[in-house]
Amino acid sequence: MAAAPGAFSLREVLAGFQECVTEQREVLLGPYLCGWRGLVRFLNGLGAIFSFISKDAVAKIQIMENYCGGERREEYRTLQAMVRYELSGGLVDLQRRSAHPDSGCRTVLRLHRALRWLQLFLEGLRTARQDASTSAICTDSYNASLAAYHPWVVRKAAVVAFCTLPSRDAFLEVMNVGGPEEAVEMLGDALPHIRNVYGITQELYEQHHLLDLP
Ligand code: 1PZ
């Protein structure tokens, strides 16, 4: 599972989650989605068994990129602007998916829940013992976050895919940030920013009662 020569580093990918927060604690959608694009690229490198996950992530990133590059792009510069715009325009399905099945609000909510998984997973990876099992860390983080929103069949497929993950050391290696110590240090630097983005989004969605969007 050695990283390909010239392969990109997870350090740059995670930097997207630092860059996306402004001084006013707004979340810029451009760098946020860039971070997600990088994560998907990384996920694809882990094997074809993860493609059912990356396909769904890509579909959601694409929906958001279309808004961000579309006619109303000004309204989609930040997460805060998007929520304001979509809610005031009645562009969000609140009860069931009907007229606006792919609103920015419901699409970001799925990514936001996955960001919680990422946070738990990277925290687990960072603090685990050297001989810890990546797949156990991944399964625990998944069960403590995303699993609650997935039907049985998705949960099963996810756990099967997790079993193929390499050992902790090999996983830290494919992150391509140097040796295990450097990778752990990088995670220590990156995690506060991921937590911050998660926290800001969570607060915004709570305020507007958007945490259960269909
Ligand atoms: C390192 C190992 C990576 C494990 C990734 C853990 C996430 C498992 C998620 C499995 C879900 C895949 C199938 C898609 C399910 C969709 O139904 C849901 C809800 O969307 P809706 O149906 O309401 O439109 N989609 C999601 O929950 C979004 C999942 C995004 C996952 C992104 C993972 C990025 C991984 C980065 C790896 C470093």
Side-chain angles (χ1 to χ4, degrees):
M1 285 237 48
F8 71 115
S9 154
L10 202 62
R11 187 195 299 274
E12 275 85 68
V13 172
L14 297 182
F17 295 103
Q18 176 172 0
E19 288 156 21
C20 72
V21 178
T22 71
E23 274 172 29
Q24 293 78 39
R25 285 179 39 99
E26 291 185 312
V27 177
L28 297 167
L29 278 171
Y32 179 85
L33 295 171
C34 232
W36 276 110
R37 277 274 176 206
L39 285 173
V40 166
R41 241 177 102 194
F42 178 76
L43 183 64
N44 285 334
L46 293 176
I49 195 162
F50 293 100
S51 59
F52 77 104
I53 301 173
S54 63
K55 267 191 200 134
D56 184 71
V58 165
K60 291 181 167 49
I61 297 165
Q62 190 63 57
I63 290 171
M64 293 314 302
E65 286 177 346
N66 290 346
Y67 287 130
C68 292
E71 267 173 32
R72 311 307 302 257
R73 61 171 69 90
E74 271 312 303
E75 321 281 2
Y76 288 89
R77 209 177 66 84
T78 69
L79 205 56
Q80 286 75 4
M82 174 192 86
V83 166
R84 246 187 333 262
Y85 168 69
E86 289 196 342
L87 281 183
S88 62
L91 299 171
V92 184
D93 286 344
L94 300 171
Q95 302 303 332
R96 67 173 63 86
R97 287 179 92 184
S98 52
H100 307 286
D102 291 326
S103 68
C105 286
R106 72 89 61 191
T107 304
V108 167
L109 178 60
R110 271 64 190 173
L111 295 176
H112 169 66
R113 290 169 177 166
L115 197 66
R116 172 77 181 156
W117 162 80
L118 184 74
Q119 180 198 321
L120 296 177
F121 174 63
L122 295 181
E123 264 164 14
L125 208 57
R126 185 179 81 91
T127 56
R129 290 182 11 210
Q130 199 184 345
D131 59 354
S133 145
T134 311
S135 78
I137 298 171
C138 189
T139 306
D140 289 350
S141 335
Y142 176 73
N143 286 336
S145 58
L146 268 180
Y149 307 101
H150 291 162
W152 184 86
V153 54
V154 169
R155 294 203 302 269
K156 278 287 157 208
V159 172
V160 168
F162 298 161
C163 286
T164 70
L165 288 169
S167 69
R168 176 173 178 272
D169 265 3
F171 193 90
L172 292 174
E173 191 75 34
V174 287
M175 285 168 34
N176 212 19
V177 283
E181 293 82 15
E182 276 171 274
V184 163
E185 197 189 317
M186 182 280 282
L187 289 178
D189 296 338
L191 272 162
H193 301 293
I194 294 177
R195 263 184 236 124
N196 193 27
V197 175
Y198 182 85
I200 295 173
T201 311
Q202 181 73 11
E203 204 180 294
L204 178 72
Y205 269 58
E206 247 167 26
Q207 256 170 25
H208 295 278
H209 311 288
L210 297 174
L211 286 169
D212 296 309
L213 290 180

